Amino acid sequence: MTTSPNPESDPARKILTLAQAQAWHAQLRAAGKSLAVTNGAFDLLHRGHATYLWQAAQQADALLVAINSDASVQASKGPDRPLVNENDRAYLVASLACVSAVVIFNDPKPVDVFKAIPPEVYVKGGDYTEDSLDREEHAILRQAGARFVFIPLVDGCSTTATVRRIREARPDQTRSDRPAAASATGLNPRLDFIFRRRSVRRYQLRPVAEAMVTDLLQAAMAAPSARACDPWHFVILADDALRADLAAKLPNGPFLADAPTAIVVCGDLQKANAQSESFLLVDCAAAIENILLAATALGLGACWLGIHPRPERTAMLRQALNLPESIIPVAIITLGWPAEDHEPRTRAKAARIHRNTF
Ligand SMILES: Cc1cc2nc3c(=O)[nH]c(=O)nc-3n(C[C@H](O)[C@H](O)[C@H](O)COP(=O)(O)O)c2cc1C
């Protein structure tokens, strides 16, 4: 005997417009029930998402999940994401028994959702704190009287890591022929991460995970260096007060104070090829560029703040960071999730290219 499907249990019924979700919330309230809200991209749904959402659901009588639209994911994570379109992401999240309802939001932040549906509880991943939440979102939720709950993330579950594993396992496509269709800019789309690298000077409040900083430093130390002398050293400016203090002393980088992290790239004159400052500088510059390109590839924004050769800036950093005599600070790289967009571009000029002779 076959049983006919129960339309009531169709996950699609849980995907609501904002107006429908508002009406549903009003009914919940009328029944004296509480609502927890969380938000995210939920791109490539994994065990960590499922655990997180189940824990979020334990915080109230019902759980509403606000899902970033495709445009919204692209704005925050770069043009390679999302991997799964918004309707499919919403359907998968709605398929979880612990999820009561789903809405898709189009703006970079879900402020319209919070305004329309002020929840009793707001749930966010443990990589955030109340201090690092977006200020506008925090203010709206605070005003609504929401309780904030931060749920530790499950170790080893990350879409970015999964994507990386899949990409590493697949044959090297960079050696194949150039694709017939170039990007809209006429630049080779395979070099996108180079053309998209622009100086980013405004950042979201969202922190940069330690693991990403580690990735950036591995990229830095993959740079070429003269006779592989690797003269570089890196000082991570993890402390908010330290970054604010240095920003106040640097005429060229007030935004260092607002960046969630930064790296000082230094070189050791004793270690540089021929103990030459010129070799030290070119080696460190290669490492700096690797960090900037790696940051772009990971969806982060970064800016090179010039330190060397200005004596007042190198002296200030030497003192502030307790740098030994032979260590020369070359640059500070500010880092964070971008809060400004720049067009991909090159500044290539035919007049700068010479063939065989100048
Ligand atoms: C050696 C060097 C020093 C720089 N110093 C600063 C700086 O102190 N402050 C800043 O805002 N940008 C700084 N920049 C970033 C440049 O202004 C930026 O790269 C340039 O305007 C080109 O723009 P783009 O990076 O968006 O392509 C520096 C870049 C280099 C290579």
Side-chain angles (χ1 to χ4, degrees):
M1 197 182 96
T2 54
T3 47
S4 53
N6 173 9
E8 291 291 321
S9 64
D10 180 356
R13 293 174 68 115
K14 292 191 202 166
I15 305 171
L16 308 178
T17 62
L18 196 56
Q20 287 170 332
Q22 226 174 345
W24 169 74
H25 184 219
Q27 283 173 8
L28 271 182
R29 282 210 161 154
K33 292 192 170 162
S34 62
L35 178 69
V37 167
T38 191
N39 59 283
F42 301 98
D43 194 19
L44 272 198
L45 199 65
H46 55 62
R47 162 75 187 265
H49 291 140
T51 308
Y52 169 81
L53 290 173
W54 182 82
Q55 288 181 294
Q58 308 314 302
Q59 308 300 323
D61 297 312
L63 173 65
L64 171 71
V65 184
I67 293 189
N68 298 70
S69 70
D70 292 346
S72 162
V73 176
Q74 215 167 65
S76 68
K77 298 194 185 224
D80 293 343
R81 300 286 292 275
L83 300 161
V84 179
N85 74 54
E86 61 195 34
N87 292 328
D88 291 356
R89 287 184 283 117
Y91 189 89
L92 286 169
V93 169
S95 299
L96 297 173
C98 63
V99 173
S100 316
V102 172
V103 288
I104 298 174
F105 66 94
N106 212 13
D107 299 322
K109 310 182 211 174
V111 285
D112 286 348
V113 178
F114 299 158
K115 281 182 189 160
I117 306 163
E120 279 71 45
V121 185
Y122 176 66
V123 184
K124 194 79 181 156
D127 50 340
Y128 282 86
T129 63
E130 235 185 286
D131 286 340
S132 67
L133 280 180
D134 178 272
R135 288 300 85 190
E136 190 187 3
E137 294 176 27
H138 184 258
I140 294 168
L141 290 161
R142 259 318 272 262
Q143 207 185 0
R147 179 166 67 84
F148 293 86
V149 175
F150 297 92
I151 293 179
L153 299 180
V154 178
D155 274 350
C157 290
S158 135
T159 299
T160 308
T162 304
V163 169
R164 194 183 301 157
R165 271 202 309 280
I166 294 168
R167 288 202 169 131
E168 280 167 2
R170 131 183 131 180
D172 183 1
Q173 296 186 337
T174 56
R175 283 159 210 272
S176 64
D177 288 342
R178 194 183 161 131
S183 72
T185 53
L187 300 169
N188 186 335
R190 288 221 188 91
L191 302 180
D192 203 41
F193 70 104
I194 293 184
F195 301 125
R196 276 193 296 112
R197 184 223 54 79
R198 297 294 310 276
S199 293
V200 172
R201 299 179 176 89
R202 286 180 53 232
Y203 308 99
Q204 300 170 29
L205 283 164
R206 183 179 165 194
V208 174
E210 274 294 315
M212 289 187 104
V213 176
T214 305
D215 286 347
L216 297 180
L217 293 175
Q218 281 169 352
M221 290 182 264
S225 85
R227 291 186 53 232
C229 287
D230 301 356
W232 39 58
H233 282 262
F234 304 90
V235 183
I236 301 167
L237 301 179
D239 184 73
D240 296 349
L242 175 61
R243 286 193 308 280
D245 182 48
L246 296 180
K249 292 173 179 156
L250 283 172
N252 55 324
F255 50 91
L256 172 61
D258 305 320
T261 192
I263 299 171
V264 184
V265 181
C266 312
D268 184 346
L269 203 48
Q270 302 291 330
K271 291 209 180 84
N273 186 29
Q275 301 195 333
S276 141
E277 186 174 283
S278 297
F279 275 118
L280 177 151
L281 293 172
V282 288
D283 291 350
C284 285
I288 293 167
E289 180 67 354
N290 270 16
I291 295 178
L292 298 178
L293 294 177
T296 310
L298 296 177
L300 294 170
C303 186
W304 180 327
L305 293 186
I307 298 298
H308 194 276
R310 299 201 184 265
E312 70 285 2
R313 296 185 196 167
T314 52
M316 185 279 285
L317 274 186
R318 177 171 306 291
Q319 216 223 342
L321 304 180
N322 207 11
L323 302 178
E325 194 59 28
S326 73
I327 302 292
I328 298 175
V330 179
I332 301 178
I333 303 173
T334 54
L335 288 161
W337 294 96
E340 63 184 15
D341 276 336
H342 296 290
E343 285 301 303
R345 68 160 191 206
T346 171
R347 300 193 301 285
K349 291 186 180 70
R352 299 297 176 89
I353 305 171
H354 312 273
R355 209 166 287 272
N356 300 326
T357 177
F358 200 91

